[in-house]
Amino acid sequence: MSRAARHRPGVPANAFDAPPGLPAPLPPGEHILWQGRPCGFGIAARALHIRLVGLWFVGLALWAAIPPLAEGDLTQAALVAGPTLAVGSGALALLSLLGWLSARSTTYTITNRRVVMRLGIALPMTLNLPFTLIESAGCKVFTDGSGDLPLRLRAGNRVAYLHLWPHARPWALSRPEPMMRSVPEAKQVAEILAQALSTVLDTTEETAAPIVVARKRQVRPPRLANAS
């Protein structure tokens, strides 16, 4: 479920309180372009693989029921397969609940300067990604119109994969990429993000100037994630 930022005429969005999904009020000059949550079913299906788990338990139940079925004993086959199907139903219900909770506790925000991802069911965390730290962005759209938008960070900026999951690009372990997962209307969101990134890139190139460095100094990388 996505929502556009709504402001009262003449009153800036950061005048009183922080917008929902953000850890603090926006600084002057920054405004929200898009904000939304992932689809709970998308997280359950693509991150938690609920369909594969269901097929696994169905396969186990059929395997256990084959001998009674071969003998024509339908009652015994049902008794043998019943406990496996019951356990499988409980597992599917648990995965569905986790997917729903993950979606409800997640908020993705795109402003004209950064991407903010508020994650975490038990321990909320806010991931702050200024556009200057994003090297590139991708988009994978699914048949239902939702999609995944991975964000590749510039070299030297890293967030632990386990801290991001399930909001991370699958199998990108050596260089984890934050990912806005199962975003509704992914094409529209990707266009908003692409336009914002290109605007910042053009501004950076226009204002870039030579810098004379007297000596090398170790610079600590910016802190991307904060517990909140």
Side-chain angles (χ1 to χ4, degrees):
M1 179 179 64
S2 62
R3 57 180 181 272
R6 293 192 294 266
H7 308 301
R8 291 192 311 176
V11 180
N14 59 333
F16 304 104
D17 300 316
L22 296 178
L26 294 175
E30 185 175 6
H31 57 273
I32 296 175
L33 301 176
W34 177 88
Q35 190 175 70
R37 291 174 176 168
C39 300
F41 176 77
I43 292 181
R46 303 180 191 112
L48 304 178
H49 304 288
I50 190 172
R51 289 174 289 197
L52 292 178
V53 173
L55 290 175
W56 171 259
F57 278 102
V58 169
L60 290 179
L62 289 176
W63 181 263
I66 285 177
L69 287 175
E71 298 176 359
D73 192 348
L74 298 179
T75 302
Q76 184 62 26
L79 291 176
V80 171
T84 302
L85 293 177
V87 173
S89 299
L92 296 181
L94 179 59
L95 292 178
S96 300
L97 177 61
L98 288 176
W100 181 80
L101 289 175
S102 181
R104 291 292 298 176
S105 60
T106 299
T107 303
Y108 301 136
T109 305
I110 301 176
T111 75
N112 59 323
R113 295 180 181 177
R114 55 180 165 160
V115 174
V116 182
M117 302 170 63
R118 186 169 179 84
L119 327 166
I121 299 175
L123 298 174
M125 179 185 74
T126 300
L127 186 65
N128 182 47
L129 301 172
F131 289 156
T132 54
L133 301 184
I134 300 177
E135 181 178 297
S136 62
C139 180
K140 181 178 181 180
V141 181
F142 302 102
T143 55
D144 61 352
S146 66
D148 296 338
L149 281 71
L151 307 174
R152 186 175 180 86
L153 303 181
R154 297 185 183 276
N157 301 282
R158 181 184 174 90
V159 184
Y161 188 89
L162 292 179
H163 289 170
L164 292 173
W165 190 87
H167 312 277
R169 184 174 182 176
W171 307 113
L173 301 178
S174 60
R175 190 175 176 181
E177 299 181 18
M179 186 171 74
M180 293 189 286
R181 183 182 284 274
S182 298
V183 175
E185 302 176 354
K187 280 189 176 181
Q188 179 182 353
V189 179
E191 291 175 359
I192 294 174
L193 178 59
Q195 184 176 1
L197 285 171
S198 62
T199 301
V200 171
L201 179 61
D202 294 342
T203 303
T204 302
E205 291 178 350
E206 291 176 359
T207 58
I211 299 176
V212 178
V213 181
R215 61 177 182 177
K216 291 185 177 181
R217 183 174 57 183
Q218 185 176 5
V219 180
R220 298 179 60 184
R223 189 172 183 179
L224 302 181
N226 294 317
S228 59

